[in-house]
Amino acid sequence: MGLPVFISTGQSNNPLKRELEQQLVEQLSADPAFDLTLVANLYDLSPAGPALTAMGEVDKEMLVISWFYSRGAHWILDRNGIHGQVGEIELEIENDDEDEQDEDEDQPEEEIYRVIDDRPLPDREIFCLNMKASEQADDFVEEARRIAQLVLNKWIQGNPDPEQLARFQQPVNQQAAAAVPTLETDAARRWYPVIDFSRCTNCMECIDFCLFGVYGVDRAETILVEQPDNCRKGCPACSRVCPENAIVFPQHKSPAIAGAQVDLGGLKIDLSLLFGKPDAADEAARERDEQLVLAGRSPVSNDDAPLEKRQANKPSAPADELDGLLDQLDELA
Amino acid sequence: MSDVLVFEMGEFPAEFPRTFHYAANHMWAHRGDDSWRFGFTAYAVRLLQDVYFLDWNFDAGVPVQQQQEIGSIESKKAESSLYAPISGELTEFNQQLLSDPSGINLDKYGQGWLFEIRPVDDNTTADLMTAENYLDHLEEVWKVTQRTIKGQLG
């Protein structure tokens, strides 16, 4: 039994993307270390459809290869009842400010409540690879084999079954490569948020902000995406108002909204504000108004009544150097 | 008089049927019973070349304003946002193109149509050009277009 691998094909007919998918199918299906299944675009899969059902039946480690950031893919699966630990991967989109992030890791993390603290995940890991991370199929095959080796060691706990080991060490296909199961090839396009519960603090900014009934709470009063298909196509506004950057729209063109790894402290200083871009709250309110108008309803925001801060009585943290810098920027503007 | 006007984009002859109207954002417009059908002109398709992916920001049945961002496109040569050519109610998107956008390349003035808009009133469509006027417009923008492309290629 090999590592279950799901390749999720993208929506674009770009021949470069199609070729990468095809090469991965050919190489991974020919390798007995993997049990490969092909599914349509992960984000579009219908909730109880054959693809998600098959993925839900896997109760141990698995690898999902899609066109989404690994964080986006992980929480799409979580929203569909496919839970697991985040499997660490070594093939990610290169981050320009990697040095900066390393510095942050040295600092002790603040003790903030996260929804995930009350929601222990099963002990199995789900590994999510993003096909945007490389143009070379070999990079993915190499990473998939590294993960398969890691997982096999975990499964056998240093106690190899000779047959299992032989299968892994001998990448020779015993079945026809053409026999790759394919589930849900023509999923209709969907648009909805997914919540990263390792960041979400259950602050309820999103449920207050969204006027389309996308969000709800469960019996334990924890936020959830209750009616994903109520979401307004193309609108990522709730993601902008989330103080923890916990709301992911995996299909959005802006990496920060689509689930690219960013610091919890927020994004790098963006000088666009200085140069006339509306700030995130204003932009979110404008996007929400556009969607209200599109839905035949009345806009709710106006310039005289800016968004109220839900946690208005929360004590403000002492100003740090960054605040000073931002004040200077404010003065410039 | 020929049914088709031709604009030379370098060596490439881009053709524009006289039976259509044209919007400044390089979409053709064709009047139906109570709405107008829009698609990319030969000029736009030549610049895009093979279209790989088309996406709309919302589902049909909503009011749009002229120049409102309504979707995006990925092709062999470009990625771009798309904007409404006129104001009105966007009544229909060509669903066929969502699964296979190559219709835009195969039959741009027919099966490759993009969407239909029911104009607010006749004034809304007053800015649409005849083929002759569109050709004048192209004479003006062609140099700028070339500069833009060369600029982005470095």
Side-chain angles (χ1 to χ4, degrees):
Chain A
M1 177 96 203
L3 172 69
V5 178
F6 295 88
I7 293 182
S8 155
T9 53
Q11 297 170 324
S12 168
N13 284 337
N14 188 330
L16 291 176
K17 294 181 180 171
R18 281 287 149 93
E19 197 186 325
L20 178 60
E21 291 167 355
Q22 193 52 41
Q23 285 178 355
L24 286 178
V25 168
E26 280 166 17
Q27 296 194 38
L28 297 182
S29 65
D31 189 332
F34 308 109
D35 285 341
L36 183 64
T37 305
L38 202 57
V39 300
N41 188 34
L42 194 62
Y43 188 55
D44 294 333
L45 297 174
S46 50
L52 285 171
T53 303
M55 296 173 100
E57 281 164 2
V58 178
D59 59 0
K60 48 185 184 175
E61 272 66 22
M62 67 169 156
L63 169 62
V64 176
I65 306 176
S66 70
W67 290 99
F68 298 105
Y69 289 103
S70 51
R71 195 161 77 90
H74 187 88
W75 295 102
I76 292 173
L77 294 171
D78 184 88
R79 171 62 184 82
N80 286 286
I82 300 165
H83 308 293
Q85 310 285 336
V86 175
E88 251 180 65
I89 55 167
E90 292 182 357
L91 180 60
E92 258 287 25
I93 291 183
E94 281 177 36
N95 199 334
D96 292 342
D97 39 80
E98 211 167 307
D99 299 340
E100 215 170 292
Q101 287 191 339
D102 288 346
E103 281 168 30
D104 290 344
E105 278 168 20
D106 297 337
Q107 296 169 3
E109 278 200 21
E110 270 183 88
E111 294 283 322
I112 303 175
Y113 166 80
R114 309 278 173 195
V115 169
I116 204 172
D117 299 341
D118 281 340
R119 186 174 298 183
L121 296 168
D123 190 29
R124 63 92 174 254
E125 290 167 293
I126 299 176
F127 298 84
C128 297
L129 288 177
N130 181 355
M131 280 186 268
K132 289 181 198 136
S134 171
E135 290 172 2
Q136 307 298 326
D138 290 347
D139 291 345
F140 292 97
V141 174
E142 193 183 315
E143 173 68 354
R145 283 192 65 80
R146 183 193 69 81
I147 293 168
Q149 176 78 68
L150 201 81
V151 169
L152 183 66
N153 285 341
K154 183 175 172 181
W155 288 354
I156 61 182
Q157 306 213 320
N159 202 359
D161 170 343
E163 197 191 329
Q164 243 174 345
L165 208 59
R167 219 141 100 72
F168 181 79
Q169 285 165 345
Q170 208 175 31
V172 178
N173 183 30
Q174 281 142 15
Q175 298 161 351
V180 178
T182 303
L183 301 170
E184 264 185 271
T185 48
D186 56 346
R189 291 186 196 176
R190 298 178 68 201
W191 179 268
Y192 55 92
V194 293
I195 301 175
D196 177 345
F197 287 112
S198 72
R199 294 187 176 188
C200 175
T201 61
N202 212 29
C203 75
M204 302 288 163
E205 294 265 3
C206 53
I207 198 172
D208 272 5
F209 181 79
C210 174
L211 298 175
F212 296 98
V214 172
Y215 294 95
V217 291
D218 64 13
R219 267 174 276 175
E221 298 284 303
T222 305
I223 191 79
L224 81 157
V225 178
E226 192 169 31
Q227 300 289 346
D229 294 313
N230 276 4
C231 189
R232 303 291 301 179
K233 190 172 180 206
C235 175
C238 57
S239 162
R240 297 191 204 278
V241 300
C242 175
E244 300 293 333
N245 195 13
I247 298 176
V248 179
F249 284 86
Q251 197 93 353
H252 197 270
K253 57 188 169 188
S254 153
I257 293 175
Q261 289 297 343
V262 286
D263 296 338
L264 281 177
L267 304 167
K268 188 184 278 195
I269 306 172
D270 180 356
L271 293 182
S272 310
L273 284 175
L274 194 66
F275 303 138
K277 184 183 174 219
D279 78 14
D282 289 345
E283 190 166 9
R286 181 187 57 73
E287 280 167 344
R288 180 180 61 183
D289 276 350
E290 278 174 12
Q291 295 302 330
L292 284 166
V293 171
L294 287 172
R297 293 161 61 179
S298 305
V300 294
S301 314
N302 62 58
D303 294 341
D304 302 332
L307 284 177
E308 273 180 45
K309 188 159 171 52
R310 182 187 173 89
Q311 295 153 311
N313 46 11
K314 187 179 167 186
S316 50
D320 57 16
E321 280 177 39
L322 185 61
D323 291 330
L325 179 60
L326 289 174
D327 287 346
Q328 286 172 23
L329 290 179
D330 284 345
E331 281 163 24
L332 276 176
Chain B
M1 190 166 77
S2 164
D3 292 342
V4 169
L5 292 182
V6 176
F7 180 79
E8 300 290 341
M9 298 170 70
E11 313 239 305
F12 178 84
E15 300 188 339
F16 307 98
R18 285 183 198 271
T19 46
F20 288 1
H21 282 74
Y22 295 88
N25 68 347
H26 307 294
M27 289 180 185
W28 54 259
H30 193 254
R31 187 172 206 151
D33 286 342
D34 64 346
S35 63
W36 288 67
R37 180 171 278 195
F38 292 86
F40 284 120
T41 67
Y43 185 84
V45 174
R46 170 64 179 168
L47 295 177
L48 289 165
Q49 304 202 9
D50 291 349
V51 178
Y52 297 149
F53 182 59
L54 181 67
D55 201 16
W56 303 112
N57 292 356
F58 44 77
D59 295 323
V62 297
V64 292
Q65 292 294 317
Q66 188 177 11
Q67 293 187 328
Q68 178 184 334
E69 183 178 330
I70 57 172
S72 56
I73 193 164
E74 177 199 354
S75 74
K76 188 175 178 183
K77 294 290 181 189
E79 278 182 4
S80 177
S81 296
L82 299 174
Y83 303 88
I86 61 169
S87 302
E89 184 189 347
L90 205 151
T91 51
E92 203 178 342
F93 286 114
N94 184 350
Q95 294 296 324
Q96 210 72 40
L97 296 181
L98 292 182
S99 48
D100 182 10
S102 64
I104 292 169
N105 300 102
L106 294 172
D107 188 12
K108 54 187 164 293
Y109 290 117
Q111 297 300 311
W113 63 276
L114 296 171
F115 50 78
E116 291 181 348
I117 294 179
R118 185 185 300 133
V120 179
D121 53 45
D122 284 348
N123 283 334
T124 321
T125 52
D127 290 342
L128 294 175
M129 295 173 263
T130 63
E132 282 83 1
N133 292 343
Y134 181 57
L135 233 66
D136 292 342
H137 173 62
L138 290 182
E139 295 283 359
E140 281 174 36
V141 298
W142 173 232
K143 277 198 180 125
V144 180
T145 302
Q146 289 180 87
R147 267 208 302 277
T148 306
I149 295 168
K150 282 176 188 156
Q152 291 195 9
L153 292 176

